[in-house]
Amino acid sequence: MLYYIFRFLDQFGISGSHLWGYISFRSILALILSLMVSAWFGEHFIKFLKKKQITETARDKEIDPFGEKKIGVPSMGGIIIIVAILIPVLLLGRLRNIYLILMIITTIWLGFLGGMDDFIKIFRHDKEGLKGKYKIIGQVSIGLIVGLVLWMSPDVKANLNVEVQSQGQEAVVRHSAKAEKTLKTTIPFVKNHNLDYSEVMSVFGKYKNAAGWILFVIMTIFVVTAVSNGANLNDGMDGMCAGNSAIIGVALGILAYVSSHYEYASYLNIMYIPDSQELVVFFCAFIGALTGFLWYNAYPAQVFMGDTGSLTIGGIIGVGAIIIHKELLLPILCGVFFVESLSVIIQVWYYKLGKRRGVKQRVFKRTPIHDNFRTLDSQLDPECKYLLKKPHTALFESKITIRFWIITIILAAFAIITLKIR
């Protein structure tokens, strides 16, 4: 909104209005504004939640040995994050940008889905919340919408990167002169960084392009669902998910910036994606909102984000990565989310395997994996066999959280440098 006002004023030579044409200026403003909104709105919203008794009423002592202190802490704090993202984006972003529109729709869609889950848990006193099948339908639906829009919209284009080597000279990266629809995506550790979905589906012959787009839509659905569920599983300790996601947001903001900058894209030998610079504004708002939320969510938490926040955060990360053709970097960048999800899958599979043979067995003491580190040996089932029992004592929540943050920082840095490792 403000972008269009000041760009209009710039036509009349009004001093300072030209600054709104710079992505760096708007991005920093979005970061500052989202921090301010998150901090100010968060304080008043927490008071409102307490007044309406929208709080945690019980904690599972077997999973969280320090959980008694968290009874009465307000939930549904993800609304703070969503508001702190949307206000700066609506004020400072170019709202006609297709990528920004998709990010806004994703935020609202998954925020509503997570809000329904939290509403059922709190007001209907159903600890299971929204039924799993409905949650999956909601995640698949937004993934399908994003995939189809990226397939069919004429505004979604990229300039492909190609290495050109002249005789006696070093190879130079050139981008195609004309932006075009493409099924290529960035893949780490490969010479030219590109994987073509249509080539993966070459078995379909002359229909490989259509099959490639179908594969792309399926991949989009999978990524959005997997990352949002991974973030949801990671949201189990004070500040854990918000801190990890803010770090991932920094990395995605950097990747969005270099993808939208012709010279940086050439230097890194990646696709140049016109108009994707608006994602930098969005991710700066995302980082600021999460950092401001940490003011209240860091240990000991004054508010929990609930599924309203965690599902939204994961969806934003997944859709943002897909738009800039970096979805194949997510297993590295979101390594913590990936391990959280994998630990649950392994635990369930191993338990069912033992159940068929009449044996009670588990791999970890608890899952998701962060719960493993705060579970005492005295809390374990004496009739169950555990493959991994370390650590034998429960670590404090703040220590586990900060260690996970450190791991995410390392993974984020590694995800970025993979663009030069080939």
Side-chain angles (χ1 to χ4, degrees), residues 44-61:
H44 294 281
F45 190 65
I46 290 169
K47 290 178 180 177
F48 171 79
L49 292 173
K50 286 183 176 179
K51 184 178 178 181
K52 297 297 181 180
Q53 296 186 334
I54 305 174
T55 59
E56 288 282 320
T57 56
R59 303 288 291 189
D60 190 340
K61 292 181 180 180

Side-chain angles (χ1 to χ4, degrees), residues 130-415:
L130 189 66
K131 289 185 179 180
K133 63 179 180 180
Y134 296 126
K135 197 180 291 187
I136 292 294
I137 289 170
Q139 292 168 319
V140 169
S141 298
I142 188 61
L144 180 62
I145 290 169
V146 171
L148 290 175
V149 170
L150 293 176
W151 175 3
M152 298 177 180
S153 174
D155 297 326
V156 178
K157 295 180 180 179
N159 296 68
L160 298 177
N161 54 306
V162 181
E163 276 194 353
V164 178
Q165 188 161 11
S166 303
Q167 190 172 3
Q169 296 181 352
E170 291 185 3
V172 178
V173 176
R174 304 287 186 195
H175 285 98
S176 55
K178 186 178 179 182
E180 58 190 64
K181 300 289 289 186
T182 180
L183 275 167
K184 291 186 177 180
T185 189
T186 302
I187 185 170
F189 311 117
V190 174
K191 181 67 175 174
N192 289 318
H193 281 333
N194 291 339
L195 172 73
D196 195 328
Y197 285 116
S198 63
E199 291 303 319
V200 174
M201 305 299 283
S202 58
V203 67
F204 290 93
K206 64 179 181 179
Y207 301 107
K208 69 177 183 179
N209 194 60
W213 278 111
I214 292 170
L215 177 61
F216 169 77
V217 172
I218 293 171
M219 174 63 79
T220 302
I221 292 169
F222 173 77
V223 168
V224 172
T225 304
V227 180
S228 60
N229 282 328
N232 186 237
L233 289 172
N234 188 235
D235 180 34
M237 293 187 178
D238 297 351
M240 172 79 82
C241 185
N244 286 325
S245 301
I247 295 163
I248 294 167
V250 172
L252 284 174
I254 293 170
L255 291 171
Y257 183 73
V258 297
S259 296
S260 66
H261 194 290
Y262 193 87
E263 292 181 4
Y264 289 151
S266 296
Y267 174 71
L268 292 170
N269 193 2
I270 58 175
M271 281 175 277
Y272 167 62
I273 307 169
D275 297 323
S276 62
Q277 68 270 17
E278 291 305 310
L279 290 181
V280 182
V281 175
F282 188 93
F283 277 115
C284 279
F286 179 72
I287 295 160
L290 288 171
T291 306
F293 182 73
L294 271 174
W295 186 269
Y296 304 105
N297 184 240
Y299 183 86
Q302 296 170 257
V303 65
F304 300 135
M305 69 170 66
D307 283 19
T308 309
S310 59
L311 290 180
T312 306
I313 286 169
I316 287 170
I317 291 169
V319 172
I322 289 162
I323 288 173
I324 59 175
H325 300 261
K326 302 294 183 290
E327 66 270 20
L328 297 182
L329 283 176
L330 286 178
I332 300 172
L333 182 57
C334 299
V336 167
F337 295 170
F338 177 71
V339 171
E340 294 271 41
S341 299
L342 192 62
S343 68
V344 173
I345 293 169
I346 291 172
Q347 186 86 321
V348 172
W349 169 79
Y350 191 70
Y351 182 80
K352 287 182 177 179
L353 189 67
K355 195 174 181 180
R356 291 173 193 162
R357 299 178 299 172
V359 178
K360 211 172 183 181
Q361 59 182 23
R362 290 185 174 90
V363 177
F364 308 103
K365 292 191 286 186
R366 299 281 179 193
T367 56
I369 193 66
H370 63 257
D371 281 332
N372 182 76
F373 300 106
R374 63 175 176 184
T375 303
L376 296 164
D377 283 359
S378 59
Q379 295 174 304
L380 301 181
D381 185 350
E383 297 179 1
C384 184
K385 295 180 180 178
Y386 297 88
L387 285 182
L388 300 173
K389 279 192 175 183
K390 291 185 178 180
H392 295 293
T393 57
L395 300 180
F396 281 104
E397 193 166 298
S398 55
K399 182 181 286 290
I400 300 169
T401 297
I402 291 172
R403 285 180 177 179
F404 272 59
W405 289 356
I406 293 169
I407 292 168
T408 301
I409 291 170
I410 295 168
L411 291 173
F414 185 64

